[in-house]
Amino acid sequence: MPDTLRALVGWVLAPDTDEVPRRQAVGLAFLRVTVGLMWLYNVAWKVPADFGRDSGNGLYKFTGFAVDHPVLPPYSWLVENLILPNISAFGWLVLAAETALAVLLVSGTYVRAAALLGVAQSVAIALSVAYAPEEWPWSYWLMIAAHVALVVGSSGRAFSVDAVRARVVPLARLQRPWGVLAVVVGLYSVVASFGDPLAARGPGLRSTDPSLSLGVYNLLGGLVVLLVGVGLLLAARGVRVAAPAAAGLALAAALLLRVQIGFTDPWLGGNATSVAVLVILAVVALADRLPTGPRPGVAPSAPTEGRHR
């Protein structure tokens, strides 16, 4: 691998923790989490196995707008002749990409790599729906711009796994708020599920009005999230076995949901957003097991020619 390419890959994968003023770090972290919540909310309606082909809705419908209301004719041809006939395979790729975006951006893990993926996914969405009825093309320009800002900013310096990887902040400082959030979500789901404790779609914390969601969970799902949250809080207090236990439970629950959603009633009453939230909790639990970055205060610079020292 040429040195320049190696340096570029290293920069993309390094913790996004360049030293900046505190207010800038907090503002960029807010932008990162907000963009991540956008992806987190929207993974829920990408439902296998046909992704809306039989009903003419869902991902199939919105992808088809590229043909009915073309933005770029070559892309429309690609959608009509390759993507729509293979919507199941394409749908799994979209679901995987957007789940990864939600997990990585909300948790602040490999932020630059996630933001680059976000640019690509935003462009693909814009080419599909920007000219569709009741769409606002500037929505997609803003999506692209937000991800570009994350690529070149320092949005991983606050409230992020990247900050733990770079040893900028201790892991406990990240595990504690996520533990509290998981306990709140779990308790809410448990209490709200008493009327129908094993429903295939639990109540959860969500709202369709501002388009925000932290997943849906029935009684069993709520108990799982609650236990994961307790594990994170114990890990933050130095109980060494708590972090791997919480991560293992969260990943097992996420896998169980992923193999059931779209095929059978989920035992935990969740959706694809629930899967992403559980994976976020697992990543936070094991943040210090990820490859470390540079020493605190020593951030990698983008590989550019003639940069000032």
Side-chain angles (χ1 to χ4, degrees), residues 146-169:
H147 288 92
V148 170
L150 296 179
V151 172
V152 300
S154 186
S155 63
R157 191 165 180 86
F159 192 57
S160 78
V161 170
D162 270 8
V164 175
R165 291 173 58 216
R167 303 300 186 256
V168 172
V169 299

Side-chain angles (χ1 to χ4, degrees), residues 35-41 43 97-108 276-277 280:
V35 173
L37 289 173
M38 176 192 71
W39 296 113
L40 185 65
Y41 180 84
V43 295
E98 295 192 2
T99 299
L101 282 166
V103 170
L104 297 178
L105 290 176
V106 173
S107 67
V277 169
I280 289 170

Side-chain angles (χ1 to χ4, degrees), residues 112-136:
R112 292 190 187 104
L116 286 170
L117 175 60
V119 171
Q121 186 66 2
S122 299
V123 169
I125 294 172
L127 291 176
S128 294
V129 303
Y131 288 175
E134 300 183 7
E135 292 287 338
W136 187 44

Side-chain angles (χ1 to χ4, degrees), residues 1-303:
M1 183 184 296
D3 291 344
T4 301
L5 180 58
R6 185 181 297 110
L8 178 61
V9 171
W11 177 75
V12 168
L13 297 180
D16 185 22
T17 55
D18 294 351
E19 190 169 354
V20 294
R22 176 68 178 172
R23 61 183 181 279
Q24 182 177 336
V26 172
L28 286 167
F30 177 79
L31 174 64
R32 167 178 56 79
V33 172
T34 302
V35 173
L37 289 173
M38 176 192 71
W39 296 113
L40 185 65
Y41 180 84
N42 281 283
V43 295
W45 59 271
K46 279 82 173 183
V47 182
D50 70 349
F51 292 93
R53 178 177 52 205
D54 291 346
S55 63
N57 208 338
L59 183 63
Y60 184 87
K61 172 185 175 180
F62 286 94
T63 304
F65 283 152
V67 179
D68 299 333
H69 306 279
V71 176
L72 183 68
Y75 184 77
S76 302
W77 182 93
L78 182 69
V79 169
E80 184 175 17
N81 293 280
L82 181 62
I83 293 177
L84 290 179
N86 300 284
I87 191 62
S88 292
F90 173 74
W92 278 109
L93 288 175
V94 170
L95 181 56
E98 295 192 2
T99 299
L101 282 166
V103 170
L104 297 178
L105 290 176
V106 173
S107 67
T109 309
Y110 295 102
V111 172
R112 292 190 187 104
L116 286 170
L117 175 60
V119 171
Q121 186 66 2
S122 299
V123 169
I125 294 172
L127 291 176
S128 294
V129 303
Y131 288 175
E134 300 183 7
E135 292 287 338
W136 187 44
W138 265 103
S139 301
Y140 307 102
W141 285 113
L142 292 172
M143 283 173 61
I144 294 167
H147 288 92
V148 170
L150 296 179
V151 172
V152 300
S154 186
S155 63
R157 191 165 180 86
F159 192 57
S160 78
V161 170
D162 270 8
V164 175
R165 291 173 58 216
R167 303 300 186 256
V168 172
V169 299
L171 177 57
R173 191 181 298 178
L174 184 65
Q175 289 175 329
R176 195 172 295 112
W178 276 109
V180 170
L181 181 63
V183 167
V184 170
V185 172
L187 283 174
Y188 176 89
S189 299
V190 167
V191 172
S193 295
F194 283 158
D196 192 0
L198 300 181
R201 185 177 175 86
L205 282 172
R206 69 188 191 280
S207 173
T208 56
D209 292 332
S211 299
L212 289 171
S213 176
L214 294 176
V216 296
Y217 314 88
N218 61 18
L219 178 64
L220 291 178
L223 287 173
V224 168
V225 176
L226 175 60
L227 289 173
V228 172
V230 170
L232 286 171
L233 292 175
L234 290 174
R237 293 183 64 87
V239 180
R240 297 180 65 86
V241 72
L249 179 59
L251 289 175
L255 179 60
L256 177 62
L257 279 173
R258 186 62 279 155
V259 300
Q260 290 183 318
I261 296 167
F263 302 98
T264 187
D265 289 344
W267 293 353
L268 304 180
N271 60 7
T273 296
S274 311
V275 174
V277 169
L278 287 163
V279 176
I280 289 170
L281 296 174
V283 170
V284 169
L286 299 178
D288 62 344
R289 310 292 178 93
L290 295 173
T292 60
R295 297 185 308 276
V298 182
S301 298

